[in-house]
Amino acid sequence: MNASLPGFPFFHYHQDQLYLEQVDIAALAAQYGTPLYVYSKAALLHAVSSYQQALAHTPSHLVCYAVKANSSLAILQTLAQAGCGFDIVSGGELQRVLTAGAKANTVVFSGVGKTRAEMHQALKAGIKCFNVESLQELDVLASVAKEAGTQAPVSLRINPDVDAKTHPYISTGLENNKFGIAYKQALAAYQHAASLPDLRIVGIDCHIGSQITEASPYLDTVNRLLALIQQIESHGIHLEHIDLGGGLGITYHDETPPTPTNLYQPLIERLHAHGLQSRELLVEPGRSIVGNAGALITQVLYLKPGAHKNFCIVDAAMNDLARPAMYEAYHEIVELKRHTDLPAAPYDVVGPVCESSDWLGYDRQLRVQAGDFLAVLSAGAYGMTMSSNYNSRTRAAEILVDGKSVHLIRKRETVTDLYAHEQLLP
Ligand code: LLP
């Protein structure tokens, strides 16, 4: 029997086995071991095209995928080939996107703490622009550009002081967040930038948070930006592009975020109404490109019934997927094989790491026995990139599925990889 997984269109059950595109995931788990990250290429391309369609009626636009969500080279390569630019936050991410085949002039560099070395690296590569987040950063960037004998393209990240209505740890557009230049200082910051001959002002940007499931914070932000843009341009400073950041949420459980078209259509209309339709429009989505394209596959090691709770102890842990421990995030957990003969029971799904915060899901109804495999869904974004080696656990392998084809895109780490840079005392 075939059955789709509601909310996860690239996963489906075929004869009670979970498939990703045309691949039986249990066969991958058996061949490559667990914990294992699996991604669907079709899901990545579908997500990119939904952004490209949403922006299709603007004269020029660029979808700058936020690399921090998932920076595996083959993922970046797939997105570069699909026409994405990139939003990076470190010299390391710059090196990754260039290695994956990105064109430097499609890269925007965000982040509050860029170092001089990173600025030099990015200027040398020829990136599209620096999203500058403070007045001091403007001065340092100007001095680095002077040293390099070039002009640095800059956009100022404005903190619009709007509530993104998301988890406080992933909210970034409020006045008390460390991000961006305060709305009230923005005009003065642009005037200062314009006075520095080693900088070239190219745009304006903002990013108000992540896993945003409503359109209204974006509308508030655009309204605030429009007023500011008019002010800035009335001082003779021209902005070639407007970057609306990322942050669009995905379905983890029962969230119903807007589609890119539903989100951006009204925003684009607002730009039109203000005569700004000719400006290049940039967006920086991360989670909504990769989140639901991936899952973390894990094997049940032990079932441990308790007086108050049953534990399902699996071989993936908080070092593989930190989101539940860090944000109390919900990820759907499903069986790779649907047992019709086992009774369903409630379990806390936990990992082997020695911390009580090492859990992947609380109180889940599962039909499982030791040795079975589970899929932790929506794990494509902020899964592998936030993984660690805590408890000397090796990082998982990663697979990209493309129709019937299976590509190993990252080998499982070995323990000797973990201490390769360490030294014993003489
Ligand atoms: N642009 C900037 C400047 C950002 O800081 C971020 C994310 C994005 C774009 C992409 O946002 P997205 O479209 O992925 O929501 N680790 C957290 C999420 C942290 C997001 C940080 N900034 C989590 O696992 O939920």
Side-chain angles (χ1 to χ4, degrees):
M1 206 194 73
N2 282 330
S4 63
L5 265 184
F8 304 94
F10 296 88
F11 291 86
H12 68 275
Y13 283 99
H14 175 64
Q15 293 177 337
D16 289 326
Q17 287 289 144
L18 189 65
Y19 276 62
L20 181 56
E21 299 193 29
Q22 295 170 52
V23 175
D24 177 358
I25 303 176
L28 297 179
Q31 184 174 352
Y32 296 98
T34 50
L36 180 70
Y37 274 100
V38 296
Y39 309 105
S40 152
K41 183 172 179 184
L44 292 174
L45 297 181
H46 175 79
V48 172
S49 90
S50 68
Y51 271 92
Q52 283 165 346
Q53 275 167 29
L55 306 179
H57 300 298
T58 60
S60 84
H61 61 262
L62 187 61
V63 178
C64 293
Y65 165 71
V67 174
K68 60 174 81 71
N70 188 315
S71 59
S72 297
L73 291 179
I75 303 268
L76 301 176
Q77 178 190 28
T78 303
L79 298 176
Q81 285 169 359
C84 286
F86 295 93
D87 168 48
I88 59 161
V89 290
S90 69
E93 287 190 348
L94 177 57
Q95 203 172 324
R96 275 185 177 271
V97 298
L98 296 177
T99 303
K103 293 199 189 79
N105 65 4
T106 65
V107 175
V108 301
F109 194 165
S110 302
V112 294
K114 302 173 195 80
T115 64
R116 291 181 78 94
E118 288 174 321
M119 291 173 178
H120 269 293
Q121 180 192 355
L123 278 175
K124 193 164 170 220
I127 65 166
K128 182 175 176 69
C129 81
F130 293 84
N131 288 345
V132 173
E133 304 219 15
S134 65
L135 287 172
Q136 285 199 345
E137 186 190 337
L138 274 180
D139 293 331
V140 172
L141 182 58
S143 105
V144 171
K146 192 180 174 72
E147 264 170 33
T150 181
Q151 260 193 332
V154 300
S155 160
L156 300 197
R157 175 169 175 184
I158 304 307
N159 184 329
D161 195 24
V162 300
D163 184 358
K165 300 180 186 145
T166 182
H167 191 286
Y169 282 12
I170 52 177
S171 183
T172 51
L174 281 169
E175 218 170 24
N176 61 0
N177 294 129
K178 71 176 174 183
F179 298 99
I181 293 174
Y183 190 82
K184 292 189 195 103
Q185 290 173 6
L187 177 60
Y190 268 99
Q191 287 176 312
H192 180 56
S195 74
L196 298 171
D198 302 296
L199 302 184
R200 182 168 60 85
I201 297 173
V202 295
I204 186 164
D205 67 284
C206 63
H207 172 77
I208 55 172
S210 198
Q211 185 54 16
I212 301 169
T213 53
E214 300 173 38
S216 63
Y218 285 94
L219 208 51
D220 294 347
T221 301
V222 165
N223 287 334
R224 306 261 297 158
L225 279 192
L226 285 171
L228 189 59
I229 293 170
Q230 265 168 353
Q231 256 190 353
I232 294 167
E233 297 211 328
S234 74
H235 284 77
I237 299 169
H238 177 70
L239 304 172
E240 293 160 24
H241 77 240
I242 302 172
D243 177 347
L244 298 178
L248 178 57
I250 60 171
T251 303
Y252 284 96
H253 191 198
D254 50 11
E255 304 88 339
T256 50
T259 62
T261 297
N262 291 344
L263 176 64
Y264 289 110
Q265 204 52 48
L267 305 185
I268 292 170
E269 279 165 21
R270 300 286 299 142
L271 298 181
H272 266 261
H274 282 72
L276 295 172
Q277 63 276 10
S278 62
R279 309 307 163 87
E280 186 183 18
L281 195 58
L282 268 56
V283 291
E284 302 172 354
R287 187 190 316 267
S288 50
I289 300 285
V290 283
N292 275 340
L296 173 62
I297 310 305
T298 182
Q299 187 167 34
V300 177
L301 298 173
Y302 306 104
L303 295 180
K304 184 163 151 179
H308 304 290
K309 273 175 178 273
N310 303 317
F311 291 102
C312 173
I313 302 167
V314 298
D315 66 359
M318 65 189 287
N319 74 296
D320 301 298
L321 181 65
R323 302 193 71 258
M326 268 184 86
Y327 317 113
E328 297 185 5
Y330 183 97
H331 285 257
E332 207 67 74
I333 300 178
V334 298
E335 301 91 345
L336 287 198
K337 180 178 172 53
R338 276 185 169 167
H339 292 285
T340 41
D341 48 337
L342 286 178
Y347 290 98
D348 282 1
V349 180
V350 300
V353 163
C354 300
E355 298 260 359
S356 291
S357 58
D358 181 26
W359 59 278
L360 298 173
Y362 282 137
D363 200 20
R364 304 302 176 86
Q365 288 291 326
L366 295 170
R367 296 172 190 270
V368 276
Q369 55 196 8
D372 285 355
F373 294 110
L374 298 174
V376 184
L377 301 179
S378 311
Y382 305 109
M384 192 64 182
T385 44
M386 291 177 68
S387 64
S388 78
N389 295 119
Y390 190 37
N391 283 203
S392 283
R393 289 171 52 84
T394 55
R395 254 180 278 249
E398 296 182 301
I399 300 283
L400 182 73
V401 165
D402 178 12
K404 282 188 186 146
S405 308
V406 170
H407 303 280
L408 177 65
I409 62 169
R410 182 198 300 250
K411 284 196 280 191
R412 185 175 304 284
E413 255 171 0
T414 64
V415 177
T416 43
D417 291 333
L418 301 194
Y419 54 69
H421 298 290
E422 297 177 36
Q423 265 171 346
L424 291 170
L425 294 174

